[in-house]
Amino acid sequence: DAGVIQSPRHEVTEMGQEVTLRCKPISGHDYLFWYRQTMMRGLELLIYFNNNVPIDDSGMPEDRFSAKMPNASFSTLKIQPSEPRDSAVYFCASSLKTYYGYTFGSGTRLTVV
Amino acid sequence: EDQVTQSPEALRLQEGESSSLNCSYTVSGLRGLFWYRQDPGKGPEFLFTLYSAGEEKEKERLKATLTKKESFLHITAPKPEDSATYLCAVHGSGNTGKLIFGQGTTLQVKP
């Protein structure tokens, strides 16, 4: 089992550019979560999917953020246009059930300059 | 609103010096309390889930306990490799399934 796979590991982009983060969940997991981690705010849930359907996107900061899950093995988080305050580590996690432990990926460290 | 507060923010221990980390929570209808370990540059790693007050779980030098208001992560005779940030999270029946995380406790164990 390769675990949750995220790409890229690091992304440096200029303000105003579009950024796409990718995630491959563990096969068979019905739930996929996108979290953002910063020193100031800790781990914050952005959005989560159940069986590829978005269930709760109340944590998405604003319309610049969008997430999709076209199939059970792939999800993207897109930021357009990016801003310096979006700099953070973005984690994807997957789970069999919401009340089971999540398995997190290694994260994408995003720096917007 | 569901909330999780962890204390202390940081803890320094000598190798072999036992201690406890605290996680206080307010949640409507606790469905589970989770402990994770996070090493620098990595994603959180699942340690334990506790589902009801009085429950205890152990793994090597770690023991997690749960009451109706808080959870403790006891570390017995820690080693330098136990140094990490420990995160607590709750899943409540009113929040549609998402985990709410605390800010974490950063533990440093010196040899």
Side-chain angles (χ1 to χ4, degrees):
Chain A
D1 185 354
V4 176
I5 300 173
Q6 291 187 246
S7 64
R9 286 297 312 274
H10 302 275
E11 177 81 37
V12 180
T13 190
E14 291 184 348
M15 183 173 64
Q17 296 298 305
E18 178 180 293
V19 176
T20 300
L21 311 182
R22 297 173 176 79
C23 175
K24 176 179 169 55
I26 291 174
S27 177
H29 281 192
D30 292 335
Y31 291 84
L32 183 139
F33 306 84
W34 281 101
Y35 277 84
R36 178 172 68 176
Q37 187 174 42
T38 61
M39 289 294 293
M40 290 297 296
R41 301 174 67 88
L43 267 170
E44 302 174 282
L45 179 69
L46 300 176
I47 185 171
Y48 81 91
F49 296 82
N50 177 214
N51 291 323
N52 312 336
V53 176
I55 302 300
D56 184 347
D57 65 354
S58 59
M60 296 286 262
E62 47 199 275
D63 292 344
R64 298 185 297 108
F65 286 68
S66 62
K68 293 182 180 180
M69 192 165 185
N71 57 61
S73 59
F74 184 66
S75 177
T76 59
L77 178 68
K78 186 176 293 186
I79 308 172
Q80 166 64 16
S82 57
E83 297 183 2
R85 59 192 168 123
D86 301 329
S87 297
V89 181
Y90 291 80
F91 287 104
C92 175
S94 69
S95 178
L96 273 172
K97 300 288 184 184
T98 57
Y99 47 87
Y100 287 9
Y102 298 177
T103 301
F104 281 82
S106 298
T108 295
R109 180 174 294 277
L110 173 65
T111 303
V112 183
V113 298
Chain B
E1 183 179 337
D2 298 345
Q3 284 191 324
V4 179
T5 303
Q6 292 188 245
S7 62
E9 286 187 18
L11 182 62
R12 286 186 177 183
L13 299 174
Q14 288 296 129
E15 185 172 1
E17 180 186 0
S18 301
S19 187
S20 297
L21 314 183
N22 177 264
C23 171
S24 298
Y25 64 90
T26 53
V27 65
S28 55
L30 181 70
R31 298 190 71 184
L33 184 139
F34 301 78
W35 282 98
Y36 286 81
R37 168 189 171 129
Q38 186 174 22
D39 292 297
K42 295 188 176 182
E45 176 187 350
F46 172 72
L47 292 174
F48 305 109
T49 308
L50 302 167
Y51 293 105
S52 58
E55 190 175 358
E56 300 181 352
K57 294 246 175 107
E58 289 188 63
K59 180 179 180 180
E60 296 180 354
R61 295 176 292 282
L62 301 177
K63 179 180 177 180
T65 62
L66 180 65
T67 72
K68 289 187 177 179
K69 293 184 179 181
E70 57 191 350
S71 176
F72 291 94
L73 185 65
H74 306 278
I75 304 176
T76 302
K79 298 182 178 182
E81 53 261 42
D82 295 322
S83 298
T85 296
Y86 291 86
L87 297 163
C88 172
V90 296
H91 175 202
S93 60
N95 60 19
T96 68
K98 59 190 179 186
L99 289 188
I100 306 299
F101 281 84
Q103 290 285 82
T105 294
T106 299
L107 172 66
Q108 184 180 28
V109 181
K110 294 195 169 186

